[in-house]
Structures are given as structure tokens and as C-alpha cells.
Amino acid sequence: MSESESAATISGAATITSVLVANRGEIARRVFATCRRMGLGTVAVYSDADAASPHVAEADAAIRLPGNTPAETYLRGDLIVAAALAAGADAIHPGYGFLSENAEFARSVLDAGLVWIGPPVAAIEQMGSKVESKKMMDAAGVPVLRELDPAEVTAAELPVLIKASAGGGGRGMRVVRELAELPAQLEAARREAESAFGDPTVFCERYLETGRHIEVQVMADAHGTVWAVGERECSIQRRHQKVVEEAPSPLVERIDGARDSGSRTSSGQSAGERGRPTMRERLFHAARLATEAIGYRGAGTVEFLADEQGDFFFLEMNTRLQVEHPVTECTTGLDLVRTQIRVAQGHRLPAEPPPLRGHSIEVRLYAEDPAQDWQPQSGSVHHIDFGPGTTEFAVLSEAGVRVDSGVVPGSVVGVHYDPMLAKVISYADTRDEAAHLLATTLRRARIHGLVTNRDLLVRVLRHPAFLAGDTDTAFFATHGLETLAAPLVSESGEALSAVAAALADAAANRAAAGIGGGLPSGWRNLPSDPQRKSYESRTTGTHEIRYRFTRTDVAVDGHEGLTAAEVTPASVTLLVPGDRGPVRRRFEVARYGDAIAVDSPLGPVALRRVPRFTDPADQVAAGSLLAPMPGTVIRLGAEPGSTVVKGQPLLWLEAMKMEHTIAAPADGVLTELNVIVGQQVEVGAVLAVVSDDSDTTTETQE
């Protein structure tokens, strides 16, 4: 421990009046919320891409970090320390991600005379290498999975998981099932690790296909008190990144519930039979061993991989607050950021953490398309609203929904950072109630402008296996990603939404034209041809709506008996015929240029208005591969003129800190390759063209 570190915290003399958060977006806003509740000033840092971010507007002061990429901005510890000194901050909170587990950054903060709201430098160093940390945990008596040297992995040890030694969040992770794939996957993992953490070191360990990801929140002060605050389960993951997190763990509840029907406490003590410790007791004991072994202080998370029998193995210790910390806050009543700050000031923790209560579930709402290999999305967030009754960044004390978000209507999701839009967290007395509350809130949320994983999240929360607590890391593979990623709205529901869009558009056109007298646009006192409007859906194709306004109503072709009770530019109420009489359904309609968003209890629908006349210049050749997002071309996998097969990688893009493979859509010939390595491309750019073999043969003969 450095001299400045000791003086600033253990003596209790640390004074904090203003906190700089060395992070961005939702993370910065979350820490700022607690600072405001504590009466502390706030300082933001921001890249050029984040100049209009809400976290910048909310801070008392903000300092620009020139550039856009993390390497230029949020990974520049020297610039962040200088910003804190320039703004008059006396403490730095690292948030989670970026430099939050960087020992050199923590040391530079302390050397500058600032308070570091984080663990000791030595603890970060010890846990910073996942390779060395496992050896240390093994020596401390914590159960571990054996590390494998990538150069010595054998076929008998497959499958293996490649992991980045210096970071987390799924960056640098790869599952390898074939020995021949190992060299290429190692190289890709090293590139991602270098890009995300500045350290290309990776290692391997045995991969458990159906493990349960269980983690324990710990908190320790400078006076020897160590809390195991509670466990979380984060087993539902995509690309080794958590998607659904909850507290307490359904696995722990099931195993301990089989032998203990009494109450549980955050110390892990049970009221049932004694004898062999419960799974919760064993988890908490292992987490405290890990924490004490490195002289830890502050908030941290000890992560384990467990099996269905309740045995578990140490994965890593995250020397920071976790993205999923709100579920622990809601089930304990603690504000963990406040506790972090008080520990950094030298305050003592009470002897025991508060007892656990109720159940909390968190989902991560991403701008991504699960049905298209989780492709991240970029662009404008036209509108985002989770409805009345939700609260921001609050520790819930009664049933409700909390939203932690870094975006607001008008925010732009770029390619430089993670595409998470919000964390949505429910709290209730029971797990079933928490799941249903969260699913309903998500389904009713109005989210316009980007494709998201919202439909997938709702289907997961309502899935029988999830409700039964069967949530291992193979959840998506077991239950079918195609089924889980399907739209919430049915085809008939989407068709009704398209009718509502057409009628609302007609009302908007009428209002814009200033047509009076109560007659709708297109009205005739004699029979006439119907008006037509066409809309394109991402999932079901084109909807052509043919409708006629009459003296008293509207008639829609293909929807016999359908009537309209109310039509305005922003909402349409339809009376839909049913077996027991008409059903009244209301649709909210929003327009953003040619993009139409229709929200109703049937499910959200995104449509695009099809123009009556198409510009030939807007057409693209069959077989064209379009850039799914802005990014940088980092590798090429084939040359023009080469024969390719469906699924063969043709090039790789780097965007949002991840590599994305662009593969051949079908067997054929790569007739065009329009990019080179290092080239920046915009979304929709034609990267390459794959032509059918027969087409190219015909052209050659001619």
C-alpha cells in the first residue's frame, strides 16, 4: 500500500467534496445520482463522440478528452487525472469498464493527491492477471478450474474457453471445440484483448457447456470488516456477456431450499438443519477467503462457475463495481456506490450486512439484432420511454421497476462503445412477480429508432424454463435462439399495426394540408378506387394497405368488419371483429421521416414507408453484402474472382470493441470486393458482391 493511499483512507482523514467519474454514459450517470444524494459535486469527462451525452449535461463540470476511440480518451489515465485536477475534484470513481481495474491508473490517482474510490493498488495488481489470481486463490483454499497453456491444449481437453487475462465483459473470449481452430481463435482473442484492455495476454481453461454463473458481491473496509453482501446469478449470456442477472440465485435457492425451509440472511446463515454448510454459506466463505487473501478494500465481485449439484469453481475477481450491482442494491437496501465512497473516506462498515429481502431481476437492453448473430446497431434513438411508475437509479424498497440508462430521446449510438441502451431492473417479493413485472414493462416500453433485443428479453422472462429457474449458460442454445428472438407481435397483429399506420398517415396528411369540413382525404360521395399505402417490415415483408373512407367509417380491404372508432395522426383505435363481438384496440403511431413506430398491447412494430416510385440509383445488385454497421475493415478472407461457399468469412469489421465476421450469403463467386484493410465504412456500404456460379458462367460465355 502506498503512503498516500494509507494516509487518505485508513486514517479516516479523506475529505471528498467533488467526484470525477472516469467513465461515460449510464455508468457515469449512476455514480452521479448517488453523489447528488450525498451532496457531492460531480465532474464528467467526455470524448468528442460523447459531447452531447446526458452524463455531460448532468455534471457540474465536464472536461473534453480529444478523440473518439477509447484508446484516445477513456483509456488515457493521464488525461483523466489532469481533468480532475483542472476541475477541482478531490476524488475519482472509475465506474466499471475502461480503467476501473487498471492498477497503474489507480496509482496515478493516489500519486496526484486524489482519493481513489476503489480497492488498493496491490489488490488490483494481484487480481489483474487471471492466470496469477487463480494460483493465489488455489493457495488460499478457494476451489479453481485448472488453467491450460494455449500451446499445450490437447484434443482430450476440448472444448476450451480462451479468456483475456486483463479484462472481462466477454472481450477476448472464444470457445474452441476443434483443435485446428485454436491458433486462429487465439489470434482473434488477442486482438480483441489488446483493443479493449491494452493487453493481448490470453489463457485457456476447460469450458463447461452448461454451467451456472454465480457471483458474490463483497464489500470490505480498512478496519478488517469483510461483507459477503449476497449472491447473484448471471447464467443467461450471449457471447460470454451477461444478458439477464438476478438476486438471489435460483440455483442456490433450489439447492438450499431442499434442506432448509427457513429464512435466509446475507451472512449465509440458515434456520434449517445444520451439518454440512449450505451452498450459500460455502459461496460466501469462499468469497471472504478470496477477499481476505489480498487485503481487499471497497466493492468487488468474486465470480464462480457452478454445476447443478452445487459444486463451484473460482473464475475471477472483479476489483470494481459490477454492471449488475442494482439487483444486490434492491435485495439489500444498500446504495453500493454510497458505501464505496464512505469506505474510501475511511468509515467503518457495520459488523454485519443487512438481511436479504425479496427478489430482483436485471436485463440489459442492447441495440443489437439477436436474430442476425447479435449484430450491434448504430444510429439515433428517436424515442425511449419505459412508462409511468418507473424510476431512475433508485434503490427500490417496494415492488417496482428501475431504469439505469445512458441515453435519452435524440441520443446517437455510435460504433466506438458498447451498444447497451439501458439496464432495466425489477424488484418484488417473489421471483415470479419480479419476472412478470419486468416482462410487462419491457413489452409496453416505447423504444423507437434502433433494432433492440427487447423481444428476446421478454420471451426469456416469460419462458417456462426461466420461470422454473433452469438458467444455465447454454440457455439460448437449448431453447433455440430463433424462437426466443422472434417478434413479440404476431403476423395478424403486425397487419393491424400497418392498418393503423396507414390511417394515421392519412390523418397526418389531411392535417398538414389543412383540409376542413370534417371530410377525410380521399373521401368521395360515389364509389371509387381505394387509396393505397405500403409499408415494409423487417420480419414479414411488405404490407399494402388499401382503404376507402365512407360517410361514417373506413373500409380496409382484407379486413372485413374492421371499423375505426378514432383516427388521429398520433393514435388509431380500431374495433376488431371477434367471435364474441368487436374488440377495441388502441395503437400509438409515431413518425420519423419514412420510419413508422406503432406501439400497442399486441407488441411493438417498426415499419418503413415504401415510396411510390423507386430511384434506380438506390438499387443494389443481387448478392451484395452491405455493412451492417459503421466500422473498420481489419482483415480480408478471400480475393476477387475466388469461389466461395455459404458461410465462408469474406472480411472482418471491428466496431463497438468487437470483431464482426461478414460471410458469404450463398455459394458462388466473389465478383466484387470494394474494401481494403484499414478502410472505414459506413452502414449500408456495399462491401462485396457474391454472384451465383451460373450467372458468372453465362456472362463469360456471352
Side-chain angles (χ1 to χ4, degrees):
M1 181 181 300
S2 69
E3 194 172 304
S4 57
E5 188 175 12
S6 176
T9 56
I10 294 179
S11 68
T15 299
I16 298 177
T17 61
S18 179
V19 178
L20 180 144
V21 179
N23 223 293
R24 62 179 296 277
E26 168 263 327
I27 302 169
R29 295 187 75 201
R30 163 66 192 94
V31 179
F32 288 167
T34 289
C35 289
R36 285 193 295 271
R37 289 193 286 264
M38 296 180 72
L40 303 178
T42 56
V43 179
V45 289
Y46 64 94
S47 68
D48 292 338
D50 279 339
S53 173
H55 84 273
V56 179
E58 291 176 2
D60 296 326
I63 306 292
R64 173 179 174 245
L65 304 176
N68 289 308
T69 67
E72 296 172 306
T73 56
Y74 300 108
L75 291 175
R76 286 287 303 274
D78 56 333
L79 297 182
I80 292 171
V81 170
L85 296 173
D90 39 34
I92 289 182
H93 191 298
Y96 26 101
F98 293 132
L99 293 172
S100 61
E101 295 179 281
N102 187 297
E104 286 303 316
F105 176 58
R107 184 176 288 109
S108 68
V109 171
L110 295 167
D111 289 345
L114 301 167
V115 177
W116 168 245
I117 305 175
V121 173
I124 300 175
E125 288 175 332
Q126 289 170 314
M127 293 294 103
S129 167
K130 292 183 174 61
V131 175
E132 296 305 315
S133 66
K134 284 196 172 188
K135 296 176 182 176
M136 187 177 300
M137 293 300 102
D138 191 21
V142 180
V144 301
L145 279 173
R146 185 170 65 89
E147 180 216 337
L148 302 174
D149 184 338
E152 299 178 2
V153 171
T154 66
E157 294 168 318
L158 297 174
V160 296
L161 179 64
I162 304 171
K163 298 179 74 173
S165 181
R171 271 54 173 185
M173 280 194 184
R174 295 285 195 281
V175 176
V176 179
R177 294 183 171 84
E178 299 290 337
L179 205 56
E181 297 176 0
L182 186 58
Q185 295 288 10
L186 280 168
E187 187 57 35
R190 289 183 180 116
R191 283 195 303 270
E192 276 193 357
E194 174 70 31
S195 175
F197 314 115
D199 183 349
T201 306
V202 298
F203 68 98
C204 294
E205 65 186 19
R206 183 164 60 95
Y207 180 60
L208 302 183
E209 296 277 6
T210 58
R212 305 283 286 250
H213 188 115
I214 314 293
E215 59 190 34
V216 178
Q217 175 73 57
V218 295
M219 185 72 72
D221 63 20
H223 308 281
T225 302
V226 177
W227 282 358
V229 183
E231 91 280 350
R232 301 184 285 255
E233 181 159 345
C234 314
S235 297
I236 298 182
Q237 303 179 4
R238 60 94 164 102
R239 289 180 170 175
H240 314 293
Q241 290 181 306
K242 302 162 189 174
V243 177
V244 182
E245 301 110 344
E246 56 184 312
S249 158
L251 175 67
V252 175
E253 292 282 276
R254 173 172 63 79
I255 289 177
D256 289 356
R259 52 166 284 172
D260 175 23
S261 59
S263 63
R264 51 185 164 78
T265 71
S266 60
S267 65
Q269 296 299 311
S270 64
E273 73 177 74
R274 306 317 302 165
R276 184 173 185 264
T278 65
M279 183 178 180
R280 180 169 287 118
E281 288 171 335
R282 290 185 289 118
L283 278 166
F284 287 7
H285 177 65
R288 284 190 288 259
L289 281 179
T291 305
E292 291 165 353
I294 59 173
Y296 198 78
R297 187 168 66 256
T301 306
V302 187
E303 301 197 354
F304 301 95
L305 190 64
D307 62 24
E308 292 294 333
Q309 289 69 50
D311 293 323
F312 54 84
F313 306 93
F314 173 84
L315 285 176
E316 62 187 7
M317 183 174 185
N318 290 299
T319 53
R320 55 176 167 83
L321 204 60
Q322 291 276 89
V323 176
E324 57 273 21
H325 76 273
V327 297
T328 298
E329 292 187 320
C330 291
T331 52
T332 61
L334 288 169
D335 181 332
L336 290 175
V337 174
R338 178 179 181 273
T339 307
Q340 279 186 297
I341 293 172
R342 286 181 58 80
V343 166
Q345 290 174 312
H347 293 285
R348 291 178 179 270
L349 294 171
E352 294 291 336
L356 302 181
R357 60 186 194 181
H359 200 96
S360 182
I361 304 174
E362 171 182 300
V363 295
R364 303 189 191 188
L365 180 71
Y366 283 101
E368 67 182 10
D369 188 351
Q372 299 296 321
D373 195 28
W374 308 99
Q375 278 185 0
Q377 308 291 301
S378 61
S380 295
V381 179
H382 296 318
H383 188 77
I384 184 166
D385 176 19
F386 294 92
T390 58
T391 185
E392 281 194 316
F393 306 110
V395 178
L396 300 175
S397 58
E398 57 186 30
V401 174
R402 157 181 171 175
V403 176
D404 288 11
S405 178
V407 301
V408 294
S411 292
V412 175
V413 177
V415 300
H416 301 292
Y417 316 113
D418 189 274
M420 190 171 74
L421 300 179
K423 301 180 319 196
V424 191
I425 307 105
S426 65
Y427 171 72
D429 288 339
T430 68
R431 185 173 185 270
D432 276 357
E433 185 181 353
H436 290 304
L437 179 59
L438 185 53
T440 299
T441 299
L442 286 166
R443 185 184 182 100
R444 293 178 177 174
R446 301 182 69 193
I447 306 165
H448 304 162
L450 289 170
V451 176
T452 74
N453 65 338
R454 180 251 300 270
D455 291 6
L456 171 96
L457 297 175
V458 173
R459 289 193 180 277
V460 168
L461 291 167
R462 290 181 171 171
H463 197 282
F466 177 84
L467 294 174
D470 297 332
T471 57
D472 61 37
T473 52
F475 190 90
F476 291 132
T478 300
H479 300 291
L481 181 59
E482 183 177 349
T483 300
L484 293 169
L488 290 172
V489 67
S490 66
E491 289 190 19
S492 61
E494 184 173 286
L496 286 174
S497 297
V499 170
L503 299 183
D505 267 358
N509 292 340
R510 175 172 176 260
I515 298 174
L519 298 179
S521 172
W523 182 87
R524 301 288 186 275
N525 62 356
L526 296 172
S528 63
D529 288 338
Q531 296 188 76
R532 297 177 177 83
K533 286 185 171 62
S534 294
Y535 301 92
E536 189 174 64
S537 161
R538 295 178 57 256
T539 55
T540 59
T542 300
H543 296 273
E544 184 174 284
I545 311 302
R546 298 158 57 92
Y547 61 96
R548 299 178 185 85
F549 284 106
T550 67
R551 288 179 182 272
T552 59
D553 210 333
V554 61
V556 182
D557 289 1
H559 294 271
E560 187 175 350
L562 182 74
T563 59
E566 177 193 31
V567 177
T568 74
S571 68
V572 173
T573 300
L574 300 176
L575 298 178
V576 183
D579 294 339
R580 299 187 179 182
V583 178
R584 188 181 182 94
R585 296 198 179 279
R586 181 179 175 85
F587 301 81
E588 304 292 333
V589 183
R591 281 169 294 278
Y592 309 95
D594 286 335
I596 314 292
V598 184
D599 293 292
S600 79
L602 296 175
V605 173
L607 302 169
R608 183 161 294 278
R609 193 181 293 111
V610 177
R612 294 183 62 186
F613 305 103
T614 304
D615 187 342
D618 293 335
Q619 302 297 306
V620 296
S624 295
L625 280 75
L626 308 183
M629 69 208 80
T632 303
V633 178
I634 59 172
R635 291 174 63 200
L636 300 177
E639 296 181 355
S642 58
T643 300
V644 298
V645 297
K646 182 178 180 179
Q648 177 180 336
L650 302 181
L651 58 96
W652 287 260
L653 288 179
E654 184 179 62
M656 299 181 181
K657 301 188 286 184
M658 299 284 282
E659 287 188 11
H660 307 279
T661 303
I662 308 298
D667 296 352
V669 175
L670 182 60
T671 52
E672 291 184 30
L673 185 60
N674 302 323
V675 294
I676 60 174
V677 173
Q679 182 176 336
Q680 297 277 337
V681 297
E682 295 299 320
V683 63
V686 179
L687 305 174
V689 177
V690 175
S691 301
D692 185 86
D693 280 321
S694 59
D695 292 341
T696 56
T697 301
T698 301
E699 291 173 5
T700 302
Q701 290 173 344
E702 291 177 351

